[in-house]
Amino acid sequence: MSDPDPQQSMEALASPRVRAQLDEDLSPRRLALRRIAAANRLLIEDMVGTQVDPGDLDAVADELEALGERFRHDRPRSTYEGMAEAAMAGGAIEAFFDHSPLIGLANPLAPPIRIEMGEELVTGRVTFGAVYEGPPGCVHGGFVAAAFDEVLGTAQTYSGAPGMTARLKVDYRSPTPLHVPLVIEGRFTRREGRKIFTEGRILDGDTVTAEAEGLFVTIDPTKFRELAEGFDRRIAGDQADDA
Ligand SMILES: CCCCC/C=C\C/C=C\C/C=C\C/C=C\CCCC(=O)SCCNC(=O)CCNC(=O)[C@H](O)C(C)(C)COP(=O)(O)OP(=O)(O)OC[C@H]1O[C@@H](n2cnc3c(N)ncnc32)[C@H](O)[C@@H]1OP(=O)(O)O
């Protein structure tokens, strides 16, 4: 199978249309992966601060270890694997978003943030649970920054030439609460050559809990492929070392 056009892959990643199709025509495999992730996410959330008797915890660990065996693979993997083939097979690149650590419905680590792309404004909606706790009852600052990276990363696609995060500045204005629906706004503000400027804020009702400015730098679409190839080489190297 021939390689996908990197430019096309990049455009698909930045496409509101692709985003809008995220939940349409889900294959049974994607549906099942989302379901597993949802169960897993709930398990992790419920496990934090559990009151289960210590004597029972070992039994739970046994069960989880046995279950884990079913998913074990022989080497580290990248969620981008298979994306090229999917793209060639007719635009199934949407599956890429399912694996995101911030928005991915098939990734139990994702809170997940739900993204809406408006005319000029990107809106992320999220409720962070106990697993994201930093200060008591509040979201860990690193996850606040990660949420901005995702939402501003989406807003930068309005530049028409998206790239990678070069700099992210976060002002933490007031503690960001757990267990509360939050709104994360992101805007593309201007472009200077390859530099793309964005800004955003997190709202708990009317309260701004954090503000951010993100600088993204347009990358040559082939860089995407180079990153994937670099990963493949590292893995191949590790396997040779293990042999
Ligand atoms: C999840 C997808 C990730 C891939 C994204 C790719 C495409 C996006 C497409 C669709 C996106 C859809 C959804 C996205 C959702 C989330 C996005 C998350 C994105 C990330 O989470 S991504 C991970 C963290 N990210 C990195 O891992 C980057 C590591 N880094 C590098 O790979 C290089 O550093 C790079 C490429 C950034 C630049 O390198 P380079 O060699 O191409 O360019 P160069 O250095 O010449 O800079 C050119 C001009 O930017 C100025 N400049 C550069 N850096 C600056 C800084 N820090 N502060 C102030 N100005 C800076 C220079 O001063 C110069 O300015 P001037 O032209 O005025 O002199």
Side-chain angles (χ1 to χ4, degrees):
M1 185 171 286
S2 59
D3 279 347
D5 176 355
Q7 181 69 43
Q8 246 180 357
S9 300
M10 187 75 93
E11 279 167 16
L13 282 179
S15 158
R17 184 189 58 79
V18 168
R19 295 259 178 174
Q21 283 177 350
L22 267 181
D23 293 324
E24 287 174 21
D25 300 330
L26 288 174
S27 66
R29 176 182 155 77
R30 281 182 63 202
L31 272 173
L33 287 173
R34 284 183 174 197
R35 201 178 142 200
I36 289 173
N40 214 339
R41 194 178 292 124
L42 195 60
L43 174 71
I44 297 168
E45 174 72 14
D46 289 343
M47 236 163 37
V48 173
T50 179
Q51 300 299 313
V52 170
D53 189 85
D56 292 340
L57 288 175
D58 273 331
V60 174
D62 287 345
E63 278 183 57
L64 286 174
E65 282 166 10
L67 188 60
E69 283 300 325
R70 297 177 66 170
F71 293 95
R72 191 121 311 130
H73 16 74
D74 51 0
R75 62 181 182 80
R77 300 180 69 88
S78 160
T79 52
Y80 288 81
E81 285 172 23
M83 188 164 111
E85 290 74 10
M88 295 308 285
I93 207 165
E94 300 92 307
F96 158 74
F97 290 109
D98 265 11
H99 296 288
S100 155
L102 277 312
I103 64 169
L105 294 179
N107 186 337
L109 290 191
I113 302 174
R114 303 282 188 159
I115 298 271
E116 283 167 35
M117 295 178 80
E119 285 284 305
E120 291 181 355
L121 183 72
V122 174
T123 306
R125 293 179 200 281
V126 64
T127 299
F128 286 100
V131 280
Y132 303 100
E133 187 165 25
C138 302
V139 184
H140 188 290
F143 287 101
V144 169
F148 274 129
D149 193 24
E150 185 70 35
V151 173
L152 299 184
T154 305
Q156 57 127 0
T157 64
Y158 292 167
S159 67
M164 293 179 83
T165 323
R167 187 165 51 85
L168 184 63
K169 177 189 160 218
V170 180
D171 290 309
Y172 297 88
R173 299 289 183 202
S174 66
T176 302
L178 296 178
H179 308 299
V180 165
L182 302 167
V183 172
I184 311 170
E185 295 178 345
R187 285 178 196 279
F188 159 63
T189 53
R190 67 185 198 283
R191 183 174 155 192
E192 289 172 13
R194 293 173 56 214
K195 290 188 287 190
I196 306 160
F197 295 84
T198 62
E199 57 187 36
R201 57 184 191 160
I202 299 184
L203 291 156
D204 163 22
D206 294 335
T207 305
V208 176
T209 69
E211 293 174 298
E213 291 170 15
L215 169 70
F216 295 79
V217 173
T218 303
I219 55 169
D220 186 316
T222 54
K223 177 153 180 166
F224 220 60
R225 183 184 288 165
E226 284 164 20
L227 287 172
E229 287 169 355
F231 173 82
D232 288 345
R233 274 196 302 276
R234 280 201 306 282
I235 295 309
D238 287 350
Q239 283 185 321
D241 289 347
D242 291 346

